[in-house]
Amino acid sequence: MAGQIIKKVRQCCISVLALCLVFFAVYYIQSKTGRKQRADAGVGEEIWPNEGMVGQFIQMGSEEPVGGGHAGIEAEDSAWARIFGTSLPEAAKRQEDYCVLIQKQGGTLVNISEEMVYRRISITLEGAEISPENVLRVCGTELYRGIPDVPVVVIPEEEKDIPLVREPKVSEEDTLLSISVEEKGEEKKLVLEFNTVYEVTVTEDDEFLYLSLLRPYERYEKILVLDAGHGGMDPGTSGGGSTEAAINLAVIRYVKEILDERNDIKVYYTRIDDTLPDLSTRVEFANALHADMLISVHCNHSPSSSVNGLEVLYSKLQENGNFTSRYLAELCMEEVSAATGLRQNMLTERSSNLHLMKYCTMPCALIEFGYMSNRRDLELIVTENAQRSCAEAICRVIDEAYAALEEQ
């Protein structure tokens, strides 16, 4: 009798233990599924960029993929499989073939800012222990992690003034040149320098920030570069209490006001504030963009106060079929003179000794918007009305130039 009781108790204990194991297994599966669902809930939440809001958040919740996605992502030997194995998050499936992944380490994204002319992005996170080892790069079929291994390039002395055209030498090259981490209290700022110019779209899930990379010419049909000459510690020429750098910037900002209302042309600016990208940086930026054309705004100066009017510089080196730098300069001369009343002074070929004209690979024109050394020119070009008129004329030049390109 006692033996039967012991046997029944043993059977009950085994049943209870089995039931506990079943409950535990169900709980574990639901917990894992819940975590994945929470991670996937942010998929496609495009948080940056947004025109006019660089470094700020935009409304989240887009259900559209960030980009077109990429082929072969689920292949066993893919770079993505080496990160995630067979459990590929939905967020990863929506990225491009070139992507930077940042492990958030439990941190919260605070801010993103970009200096595209320098090929840099800064990402600030709070509450995360971030190091370069948390930065992974999917580059086609290759996977990189940590500090980039960048070979030292020895530049001959006679070529040191020539702007480097930073573009990938091979398709699977690491997309980053450098990674640095700056600490400020609970915040960590991750600064990434790219190997060329990319359009970057940022999304996130619980574990990662995804920086999806596309070359601008892969996304946009028309690409234009506008350049406000001088800036920062280089004021350019001056007169009447005004500086050339400030006038140049004002004109370009008025152009930006107009072009921001349009979406048929992608416009890049070498500067939209009082900064000073050096000449090689501006040239390299424009060349890496594969831009259709570049227009630069400056003001003039002469030892003789009687010299006045509009001068436009061009190069004999750049052309796109029948669309040449000289043709672009002629358009600028006609439109800006008609809009502002500045006298048509001269068209000047400057490919031999002007950095922008010598090394840019696309047709370009440099507008000398009057002489600050001439009283009448100066009185005109410091006014908002003349600066806005010049900006409107530049917009007409852009339209005429693209019309000419389309006729080829």
Coordinates of all heavy atoms in Angstrom, one line a residue, residues 34 40 59 77 108 113 132 188 190 196 205 253 256 264-265 321 334 348 350 355 365 394:
G34 N 8.1 38.5 -28.6 CA 7.8 39.9 -28.2 C 8.9 40.9 -28.4 O 8.7 42.0 -28.9
D40 N 11.0 45.1 -34.3 CA 10.5 45.3 -35.7 C 9.5 46.4 -35.8 O 9.2 47.0 -36.8 CB 9.9 44.0 -36.2 CG 10.9 42.9 -36.5 OD1 12.1 43.3 -36.4 OD2 10.5 41.8 -36.8
Q59 N 8.8 63.3 -38.0 CA 7.7 62.4 -37.6 C 8.0 60.9 -38.0 O 8.4 60.6 -39.1 CB 6.4 62.8 -38.2 CG 5.2 61.9 -37.8 CD 3.9 62.4 -38.3 OE1 3.9 63.4 -39.0 NE2 2.8 61.8 -38.0
D77 N 26.3 33.3 -47.0 CA 27.6 33.9 -46.9 C 27.6 35.4 -47.0 O 28.7 36.1 -47.2 CB 28.5 33.3 -48.0 CG 28.0 33.6 -49.4 OD1 26.8 34.0 -49.5 OD2 28.8 33.4 -50.3
T108 N 20.1 56.0 -26.3 CA 19.0 56.6 -26.9 C 19.6 57.7 -27.9 O 20.4 58.5 -27.5 CB 18.1 57.3 -25.9 OG1 17.6 56.4 -25.0 CG2 16.9 58.0 -26.6
S113 N 23.8 65.3 -36.9 CA 24.2 66.5 -37.7 C 25.1 66.1 -38.8 O 25.9 65.1 -38.7 CB 24.8 67.6 -36.8 OG 26.0 67.1 -36.3
P132 N 34.4 52.4 -31.4 CA 34.5 52.1 -32.8 C 34.1 50.7 -33.1 O 33.7 50.3 -34.2 CB 36.0 52.4 -33.2 CG 36.4 53.5 -32.2 CD 35.7 53.1 -30.9
K188 N 27.5 60.5 -25.7 CA 28.6 60.1 -26.6 C 28.4 60.6 -28.0 O 27.3 60.3 -28.5 CB 28.8 58.6 -26.6 CG 29.0 58.0 -25.2 CD 30.4 58.3 -24.6 CE 30.6 57.5 -23.3 NZ 29.6 57.7 -22.3
L190 N 29.5 60.2 -31.8 CA 30.2 59.4 -32.7 C 30.4 60.2 -34.0 O 29.4 60.6 -34.6 CB 29.4 58.1 -33.0 CG 30.1 57.0 -33.7 CD1 31.3 56.4 -32.9 CD2 29.1 55.9 -34.0
T196 N 33.7 59.0 -49.5 CA 33.2 59.9 -50.6 C 31.9 60.5 -50.1 O 31.5 60.4 -48.9 CB 33.0 59.1 -51.9 OG1 32.8 60.1 -52.9 CG2 31.9 58.1 -51.9
D205 N 16.0 50.5 -35.0 CA 15.2 49.6 -34.2 C 15.8 49.5 -32.8 O 16.6 50.4 -32.5 CB 15.1 48.2 -34.9 CG 16.4 47.5 -35.1 OD1 17.4 47.8 -34.4 OD2 16.5 46.6 -35.9
R253 N 21.9 82.4 -50.3 CA 20.7 82.0 -49.4 C 19.4 82.4 -50.1 O 18.4 81.7 -49.9 CB 20.9 82.8 -48.0 CG 21.8 82.1 -47.1 CD 22.0 82.9 -45.8 NE 22.7 82.1 -44.8 CZ 23.1 82.6 -43.6 NH1 22.8 83.9 -43.4 NH2 23.7 81.9 -42.7
K256 N 18.7 79.8 -52.5 CA 18.2 78.6 -51.7 C 16.7 78.7 -51.4 O 15.9 77.8 -51.5 CB 19.0 78.4 -50.5 CG 18.7 77.1 -49.7 CD 19.7 76.9 -48.6 CE 19.5 75.5 -47.9 NZ 18.1 75.3 -47.4
D264 N 12.6 69.4 -58.5 CA 13.1 68.8 -59.7 C 14.6 68.8 -59.9 O 15.1 68.1 -60.7 CB 12.4 69.5 -60.9 CG 12.7 71.0 -60.9 OD1 12.8 71.6 -59.8 OD2 12.9 71.6 -62.0
I265 N 15.3 69.6 -59.0 CA 16.7 69.6 -59.1 C 17.3 69.4 -57.6 O 16.8 70.0 -56.7 CB 17.2 71.0 -59.6 CG1 16.6 71.3 -61.0 CG2 18.7 71.1 -59.6 CD1 16.9 72.7 -61.5
G321 N 29.4 68.0 -73.9 CA 28.9 68.2 -75.2 C 29.0 69.6 -75.7 O 30.1 70.2 -75.6
E334 N 24.3 87.6 -69.0 CA 23.0 88.2 -69.6 C 22.0 88.3 -68.5 O 21.4 89.4 -68.4 CB 22.5 87.3 -70.7 CG 23.5 87.3 -72.0 CD 23.1 86.3 -73.0 OE1 22.0 85.6 -72.8 OE2 23.8 86.1 -73.9
T348 N 35.9 86.3 -68.7 CA 37.3 86.0 -68.5 C 37.6 84.5 -68.4 O 37.0 83.9 -67.5 CB 37.9 86.8 -67.3 OG1 37.5 88.1 -67.4 CG2 39.4 86.6 -67.2
R350 N 39.8 81.6 -67.0 CA 40.7 81.6 -65.9 C 41.1 80.1 -65.5 O 41.4 79.9 -64.3 CB 40.1 82.3 -64.7 CG 40.0 83.8 -64.8 CD 41.3 84.4 -64.7 NE 42.0 84.2 -63.4 CZ 41.8 84.9 -62.3 NH1 40.9 85.9 -62.3 NH2 42.4 84.6 -61.2
H355 N 41.7 78.0 -59.0 CA 41.6 76.7 -58.5 C 40.3 76.0 -58.9 O 40.3 74.9 -59.4 CB 41.7 76.7 -57.0 CG 42.1 75.4 -56.4 ND1 43.3 74.9 -56.3 CD2 41.3 74.4 -55.9 CE1 43.4 73.7 -55.7 NE2 42.1 73.4 -55.4
A365 N 30.8 78.4 -63.6 CA 30.9 79.8 -63.9 C 31.0 80.5 -62.5 O 30.4 80.2 -61.6 CB 29.7 80.3 -64.6
I394 N 20.0 84.0 -61.2 CA 20.7 82.7 -61.2 C 19.8 81.5 -61.3 O 20.1 80.6 -62.0 CB 21.5 82.6 -59.9 CG1 22.7 83.6 -59.9 CG2 22.0 81.2 -59.6 CD1 23.4 83.7 -58.5

